[in-house]
Amino acid sequence: MTLLDGKKTSEDIKNEITAQVSAMKSRGEKVPHLAAVIVGNDGASLTYVGSKVKACERVGFESTMVRLPSTTSETELLKKIKELNQDDNIDGFIVQLPLPDQIDTQKVLMAIDPTKDVDGFHPENFGKMALDMTTFIPATPFGILELLERYNVETKGKHTVVIGRSHIVGRPMSILMGRKGFPGNSTVTLTHSYTKNIAQITTQADIIITALGVPNYLKAEMVKDGAVVIDVGITRVADENNEKGYVITGDVDFENVSKKVSHITPVPGGVGPMTIAMLLKNTLLAREQRRNQ
């Protein structure tokens, strides 16, 4: 069994980006600048945005964190997005989700300039991705592709089963795994909460990508020998034996599933670190595109 080590791979990617940024600096070019907008005080979101800012420092990017109170109106947030769209110093920016109830998330995502949408959530970028055009791929699916590529996991002609149809992971993953090229060229089944006999489908899969958010959902009897398992799930499960009072658990019953498979991602340390690395990669791409304009 090969562990698809997202921690190590993400460090490799950051080292590669650091070298590219150093080369940009030595040529006297502007370095990439990523901004992150966060509304409110959600603990998990603050931690996540904080780690993105740290990652920017690590590779030599400039970064800006825009913190707005939880009482921010939709109009105020849209005004801030317009400012960021028009700021030539900023190459890419993200709006951290979830947003407070008074704000329409779809409206906010639509307002972001597609050329600065390094999260890859704007319909224009999603459409380009679906049509195999060069664009920003959402960071988590992009990270999964990168893991499959760097570990040379064969995807051509394989049966990939995606569990979960979110716009952030499941749906883009189902499109990307079916595209021409590597990783891709696989036959994709997209499953969700209304899928009947899901275990019957997963036992036929060569590759399973699960993004449900249900701890230990995928059991050993649902997986065939030698399959590849990518676990995107990340849930805090209460555990009084742990000093933090919880453990981070994926969608996969790792202990038992890992005994049957050829490749598997751990949680934590699998897909999570890759997401931030690919956000940096998208920001570098945004900088290069702006330079070439």
Side-chain angles (χ1 to χ4, degrees):
M1 184 271 288
T2 302
L3 200 66
L4 299 172
D5 188 341
K7 214 169 174 186
K8 183 197 171 294
T9 309
S10 70
E11 283 304 312
D12 293 344
I13 293 164
K14 285 176 193 167
N15 289 336
E16 290 159 19
I17 293 172
T18 305
Q20 285 173 279
V21 173
S22 296
M24 290 167 106
K25 278 181 182 165
S26 65
R27 293 192 297 266
E29 291 173 18
K30 177 190 177 305
V31 301
H33 187 159
L34 174 70
V37 181
I38 183 161
V39 185
N41 294 308
D42 178 67
S45 292
L46 283 167
T47 305
Y48 197 43
V49 171
S51 55
K52 288 171 181 175
V53 170
K54 270 199 201 112
C56 284
E57 285 168 17
R58 153 92 165 74
V59 298
F61 285 10
E62 287 180 26
S63 67
T64 301
M65 190 164 164
V66 180
R67 285 191 66 172
L68 300 170
S70 55
T71 51
T72 301
S73 70
E74 189 179 281
T75 309
E76 287 167 323
L77 180 56
L78 291 171
K79 186 171 172 251
K80 178 48 77 179
I81 288 169
K82 193 177 179 186
E83 280 171 30
L84 293 169
N85 283 341
Q86 292 169 348
D87 186 344
D88 282 340
N89 191 34
I90 287 171
D91 299 297
F93 69 94
I94 59 156
V95 177
Q96 185 65 37
L97 304 178
L99 291 166
D101 293 344
Q102 73 271 20
I103 297 171
D104 180 344
T105 301
Q106 203 55 52
K107 205 183 262 188
V108 167
L109 296 179
M110 289 289 287
I112 297 170
D113 178 348
T115 67
K116 292 190 176 190
D117 167 42
V118 287
D119 257 340
F121 295 161
H122 192 285
E124 185 178 310
N125 289 327
F126 199 96
K128 282 181 172 176
M129 178 198 71
L131 294 168
D132 269 350
M133 295 163 74
T134 303
T135 188
F136 301 118
I137 296 172
T140 301
F142 196 7
I144 294 168
L145 294 179
E146 196 79 12
L147 273 178
L148 293 172
E149 189 175 333
R150 291 186 183 230
Y151 278 88
N152 222 6
V153 175
E154 185 57 76
T155 59
K156 184 170 66 181
K158 300 294 184 187
H159 180 199
T160 297
V161 171
V162 179
I163 306 174
R165 54 179 167 182
S166 74
H167 295 166
I168 294 172
V169 183
R171 191 128 359 134
M173 222 48 245
S174 68
I175 294 167
L176 292 162
M177 290 302 287
R179 68 180 182 169
K180 285 182 179 173
F182 174 67
N185 283 324
S186 70
T187 303
V188 183
T189 304
L190 178 62
T191 66
H192 45 77
S193 52
Y194 289 98
T195 303
K196 289 175 181 157
N197 309 329
I198 199 157
Q200 210 177 325
I201 298 167
T202 55
T203 48
Q204 295 168 16
D206 302 304
I207 301 167
I208 299 171
I209 300 167
T210 172
L212 261 188
V214 178
N216 299 315
Y217 172 82
L218 193 76
K219 304 282 190 241
E221 61 270 19
M222 297 169 74
V223 180
K224 75 175 182 184
D225 289 338
V228 175
V229 174
I230 308 282
D231 188 352
V232 188
I234 185 158
T235 310
R236 285 183 178 192
V237 178
D239 180 357
E240 55 201 31
N241 297 323
N242 190 293
E243 56 185 54
K244 289 180 180 169
Y246 65 86
V247 285
I248 298 288
T249 308
D251 287 353
V252 177
D253 174 7
F254 185 88
E255 196 179 331
N256 296 305
V257 172
S258 59
K259 292 169 187 161
K260 290 182 79 172
V261 296
S262 63
H263 299 77
I264 190 167
T265 58
V267 175
V271 175
M274 293 299 294
T275 300
I276 291 183
M278 303 324 281
L279 180 70
L280 296 174
K281 208 162 180 175
N282 273 344
T283 306
L284 184 65
L285 181 67
R287 175 75 225 106
E288 285 166 354
Q289 286 175 351
R290 293 177 79 73
R291 191 184 67 226
N292 296 336
Q293 275 166 7

